[in-house]
Structures are given as C-alpha cells and as structure tokens.
Amino acid sequence: MDRVRLIQQLYAAGLRSGTVREILRLYMGTGEDGPDPVALLSAERARIDRQITDLLEVRARLDQILAGDPACRYAPSRTD
C-alpha cells in the first residue's frame, strides 16, 4: 500500500512516468546505483516552478488582452 500511495502522490504532483519509475527504483532499495533521489525531486520541483512562472506570464498577458489594453497588439475591440 505504501508503494501505491507514493506512486499516486508523485503523479498527483505532476511528475512524469519516467521520473516516478526512477524515484521508485531509488527509494525501494534495488541496490543499484543511480542519481540522488533528493536531487531528482529537487529538479522536478524546479521544473514545476518554471511551468508555474510561464503560466502566470501567460495569464497576465491574457488579462491585458481581455482588458483591451492598447499596448496589446491583438486586444479585442469592445465593439466586437
């Protein structure tokens, strides 16, 4: 059950299947050498942070367009 719960949590956090597989391999003690699981999770967190930043920028741009900001090249006119 612990393994299933961990897999669910990793997928819910947005990790890719290859990363989940690697983390499971490292945490479940296969005895194989591999990357540091903390470093792997930190890299995934950094990737998610970049995605969040990108999405916030896109949302801000959409807000400008929807507000009819004249600085936005494709801002819809209010008469459309």
Side-chain angles (χ1 to χ4, degrees):
M1 285 303 284
D2 289 339
R3 181 180 285 198
V4 171
R5 200 169 295 120
L6 175 60
I7 291 169
Q8 290 173 334
Q9 290 173 341
L10 294 172
Y11 278 122
L15 275 64
R16 299 173 181 140
S17 60
T19 304
V20 170
R21 189 173 29 250
E22 184 69 12
I23 289 169
L24 286 175
R25 187 179 68 75
L26 295 168
Y27 272 112
M28 297 304 169
T30 62
E32 299 174 27
D33 287 336
D36 174 21
V38 173
L40 189 59
L41 289 171
S42 294
E44 282 300 309
R45 187 179 190 290
R47 180 187 64 81
I48 291 168
D49 282 344
R50 287 189 302 275
Q51 286 181 316
I52 290 169
T53 299
D54 291 346
L55 287 171
L56 288 171
E57 290 173 4
V58 169
R59 184 180 67 182
R61 180 70 172 161
L62 286 172
D63 287 345
Q64 288 178 320
I65 292 169
L66 290 171
D69 186 339
C72 296
R73 184 173 166 195
Y74 300 108
S77 68
R78 293 293 176 191
T79 58
D80 289 348

